[in-house]
Amino acid sequence: MIAAIPFPSLSPELFSIDIFGFHLALRWYALAYIAGILLGWRFTIMTVRRPALWQGNQPPMTPQQIEDLLTWIILGIILGGRLGYVLFYQPGYYLANPGEIPIVWQGGMSFHGGFLGTVIGAWIFCARHNIPKLPTADMLALAAPAGLLFGRLANFINAELWGRATDVPWGVIFPGVRAQDCGQPLGDICARHPSQLYEAGLEGLVLGLVILALVLRGALKKPGLIAGTFFAGYGAARFFVEFFRQPDAQFQSLGNPLGLALHINGYGLTMGQLLTLPMIAVGLWFIARANRSTA
């Protein structure tokens, strides 16, 4: 038997009650979104209350405007994240089952969709209130890693989005028929990379600490630098972790066992990697622009 870590006894539900035949539950998944949004909101409030951090000692908006923006951000995350998952990953399934599209509490959210939804919501808000867009992007980028950290931890608790089969000693034995189906001999266990934790560490903790260090060194005085760091940093982290994530089932076939969305003779990129390449390119452009404009 290979060395592996049994999946801990964790329930996706923090608590639940049954009322008049309805099952109501507070799930870790929902709590992660709430905690990430609240913590990100507090980070942004703290930065705008410190004018010395910003170019010209002028924050992009007031604390009250941040609270107004929060509604647009929440809608962008939820609507964009769900629609992104539906369109990018399982369009055929949801076309046949459209009634399941609104059931977001059962999982199935796309970071890239949520990111686009947030960008669109923030852009509209800034345009309506004549708020500078690049400093606002920096402010939101500072808040984002906390949500990513909690979200990936919730993915682990839900025993979803696990990684590829592995024999490394920190491989986790995730429950469920699909998690245990990796072509091993009958009766043997299947351990997988805990790729959710890899992402929590890289996209959430490490990237968040890098951005925080840059902010403390005056990076907010260069509009676009923090946003660019987040785009490029997230993209690079996600691109790397995709080598350990379980392939997308809808792209797998006998000729494409790795589930690559774009490939030639077995070599190519997953859907997650394809979607991160534009983020990396945009991030590097933002960083170069910020440094050039303040040189």
Side-chain angles (χ1 to χ4, degrees):
M1 181 177 291
I2 63 172
I5 302 172
F7 186 76
S9 179
L10 297 170
S11 171
E13 298 178 354
L14 183 60
F15 69 85
S16 63
I17 56 175
D18 293 305
I19 301 177
F20 304 118
F22 292 95
H23 182 73
L24 302 177
L26 176 60
R27 296 174 176 267
W28 287 105
Y29 196 78
L31 190 62
Y33 272 83
I34 295 170
I37 290 170
L38 290 178
L39 190 56
W41 168 65
R42 290 308 307 168
F43 279 156
T44 58
I45 292 290
M46 289 170 61
T47 56
V48 299
R49 286 178 174 170
R50 291 167 172 77
L53 292 174
W54 301 90
Q55 186 181 43
N57 296 327
Q58 183 61 51
M61 62 181 72
T62 66
Q64 180 58 52
Q65 287 175 318
I66 291 177
E67 293 182 6
D68 295 338
L69 173 62
L70 189 60
T71 301
W72 291 79
I73 297 301
I74 293 173
L75 289 174
I77 291 173
I78 296 175
L79 296 178
R82 186 57 169 177
L83 291 176
Y85 181 79
V86 170
L87 296 174
F88 296 151
Y89 291 97
Q90 297 203 48
Y93 175 82
Y94 286 103
L95 183 63
N97 302 275
E100 295 188 24
I101 293 177
I103 308 178
V104 296
W105 53 89
Q106 291 184 0
M109 298 284 282
S110 163
F111 166 80
H112 298 93
F115 167 74
L116 288 175
T118 299
V119 169
I120 292 171
W123 183 278
I124 294 173
F125 182 85
C126 289
R128 291 182 63 182
H129 297 278
N130 196 28
I131 293 172
K133 297 178 179 64
L134 275 180
T136 299
D138 289 334
M139 186 180 66
L140 295 178
L142 171 64
L148 290 171
L149 173 62
F150 288 126
R152 294 310 183 190
L153 291 177
N155 290 148
F156 181 81
I157 293 173
N158 281 359
E160 62 185 2
L161 303 182
W162 19 259
R164 302 181 186 187
T166 182
D167 58 0
V168 297
W170 59 86
V172 175
I173 306 169
F174 289 97
V177 175
R178 288 185 60 242
Q180 286 302 306
D181 181 15
C182 56
Q184 76 275 30
L186 185 65
D188 286 358
I189 62 171
C190 175
R192 295 183 176 275
H193 283 285
S195 54
Q196 317 98 318
L197 300 184
Y198 299 170
E199 290 187 87
L202 291 175
E203 303 167 4
L205 185 60
V206 173
L207 183 56
L209 290 175
V210 168
I211 288 176
L212 180 60
L214 289 174
V215 168
L216 294 176
R217 296 184 63 180
L220 289 174
K221 294 183 179 295
K222 299 180 177 181
L225 180 57
I226 292 298
T229 300
F230 172 76
F231 297 157
Y234 172 85
R238 178 65 182 269
F239 192 95
F240 172 74
V241 175
E242 282 288 316
F243 289 112
F244 303 95
R245 281 180 56 151
Q246 174 67 7
D248 297 311
Q250 60 270 34
F251 295 113
Q252 284 182 288
S253 65
L254 291 177
N256 183 22
L258 292 179
L260 303 173
L262 178 66
H263 70 100
I264 300 175
N265 296 326
Y267 296 93
L269 301 173
T270 67
M271 178 58 77
Q273 289 173 323
L274 283 174
L275 294 173
T276 56
L277 287 177
M279 287 191 68
I280 296 174
V282 170
L284 294 175
W285 180 82
F286 267 61
I287 292 171
R289 182 184 186 277
N291 286 321
R292 184 171 60 249
S293 62
T294 55

